[in-house]
Amino acid sequence: MLPTTLDEAVSALSTVPAAVPVAGGTDLMCEVNSGQLRPAALVGLGRISEIRGWSYQDGHAVLGAGLTHARMGRPDFAALIPALAAAARAAGPPQIRNAGTLGGNIVSASPTGDALPVLAALEATLSIAGPEGARRELPVSHLLAGMEMLQPSEVVGYVKVPLLHAPQTFLKATSRTGPSRALASVAVVLDPMRRNVRCAVGAVAPMPLRPLEAESWIASLIDWDGRRALAPEALSAFGEYVAMACIPDPPPEEGEEGAAGAVPQLPPAALHLRRTVATLARRGLGRALA
Ligand SMILES: Cc1cc2nc3c(=O)[nH]c(=O)nc-3n(C[C@H](O)[C@H](O)[C@H](O)COP(=O)(O)OP(=O)(O)OC[C@H]3O[C@@H](n4cnc5c(N)ncnc54)[C@H](O)[C@@H]3O)c2cc1C
């Protein structure tokens, strides 16, 4: 089935309840090819032109779920939402970026989805199309945390992102050179109007993590009306704070009669990951403030 509007796609999914929507197919076809998924029918979203671009509404960009990574990586998009453009440019090899979409990245909700920490830091909201023309809004973070689910006949139409007109960064560490899945990623967004810094760490947990205390601590050190520069020590401390919040020490083991026992050490791989997150957060904030 190849609908040309969101409502047609919803109607096709309602008519054949075992059907599954497919956008670029880069995630879905891997599941089909590996035998994990055997959909009775597919509803292709690729001909729905209304979700392949973006518009503006109340200080927000309303991004179509069908925007490809390749499109989001282009300079005009980067001027609007720099961190999302940087994440799109880092999302896999060119073939994947040409086909893979923003909506697919969100609904797949893979821990290594590159757009996800950026959307978490931006506090983005989804607009979801349902049966009989229904529309509902849902924070991206609620979907990623499993607090709310998509119904089988619903389709993600748009992603609403605030336009902050301020620097923002996305940095990703991988285990090898060339396009690869993230070992860890960090998005940093400055919001000068609300005088806050928002940060989200990807790939180290099933969903992006927000180190809220580290965010408000560092925001309180920034001279928002002045140069907005921070000393290198403050940037390093922010990196450590973010990393400790996302990859904490294991709790102390209980000693005899409830007394605190030995403090267990993090395994070397987790320590390495923590150092990686600290470096990404320090650099990400440093670049945003530079
Ligand atoms: C070799 C390879 C490398 C990759 N590297 C990266 C990487 O570095 N970074 C990264 O982030 N990702 C990577 N990916 C994953 C993938 O490319 C992205 O997650 C991509 O954004 C998925 O989009 P899609 O349009 O292809 O989704 P699809 O495969 O079409 O769909 C994925 C899921 O989302 C659902 N869906 C899609 N669109 C909608 C919608 N609008 N409404 C409701 N449900 C919808 C589908 O039903 C399906 O369940 C890689 C994949 C491969 C195969």
Side-chain angles (χ1 to χ4, degrees):
M1 286 172 270
L2 290 170
T4 55
T5 66
L6 273 178
D7 287 327
E8 279 178 24
V10 170
S11 158
L13 289 167
S14 309
T15 311
V16 185
V20 172
V22 58
T26 58
D27 277 335
L28 187 115
M29 292 316 291
C30 287
E31 287 184 59
V32 170
N33 292 341
S34 65
Q36 289 169 272
L37 188 70
R38 288 266 172 267
L42 292 174
V43 174
L45 306 179
R47 293 210 181 154
I48 308 178
S49 53
E50 66 188 285
I51 60 168
R52 295 182 72 84
W54 66 86
S55 59
Y56 303 99
Q57 191 187 77
D58 308 328
H60 288 71
V62 182
L63 311 177
L67 275 167
T68 61
H69 297 295
R71 183 65 191 90
M72 291 188 290
R74 299 231 292 258
D76 55 346
F77 190 92
L80 282 181
I81 313 168
L84 196 51
R89 287 174 186 154
Q95 306 89 312
I96 296 297
R97 295 200 298 274
N98 283 335
T101 62
L102 179 62
N105 205 266
I106 295 167
V107 177
S108 286
S110 160
T112 57
D114 285 325
L116 308 184
V118 180
L119 297 175
L122 288 167
E123 297 178 345
T125 308
L126 301 177
S127 167
I128 296 168
E132 291 161 25
R135 299 288 184 267
R136 70 179 174 113
E137 295 215 336
L138 176 65
V140 174
S141 56
H142 286 201
L143 186 76
L144 299 179
M147 290 159 66
E148 292 184 64
M149 313 268 276
L150 277 186
Q151 298 306 311
S153 57
E154 287 184 322
V155 174
V156 175
Y158 303 94
V159 187
K160 204 169 161 189
V161 172
L163 289 170
L164 300 174
H165 307 292
Q168 40 184 251
T169 55
F170 169 83
L171 294 175
K172 165 176 172 180
T174 59
S175 56
R176 60 183 171 90
T177 43
S180 185
R181 295 284 193 157
L183 273 181
S185 60
V186 173
V188 176
V189 166
L190 302 186
D191 187 347
M193 290 290 283
R194 288 157 67 187
R195 295 182 173 232
N196 66 29
V197 173
R198 297 203 293 277
C199 172
V201 178
V204 301
M207 56 172 290
L209 301 177
R210 288 275 304 278
L212 297 176
E213 285 185 9
E215 289 180 0
S216 37
W217 171 72
I218 202 72
S220 71
L221 297 187
I222 295 174
D223 173 9
W224 290 99
D225 299 316
R227 282 182 54 239
R228 283 193 213 161
L230 283 177
E233 296 76 22
L235 293 174
S236 297
F238 174 71
E240 297 296 330
Y241 204 160
V242 169
M244 285 296 287
C246 296
I247 307 172
D249 283 329
E253 284 159 7
E254 278 213 349
E256 280 180 22
E257 290 169 15
V263 179
Q265 295 293 306
L266 271 186
L271 275 176
H272 175 69
L273 194 59
R274 187 195 272 170
R275 276 198 292 274
T276 304
V277 169
T279 305
L280 293 178
R282 170 174 57 78
R283 283 192 195 150
L285 180 63
R287 287 182 195 179
L289 292 171

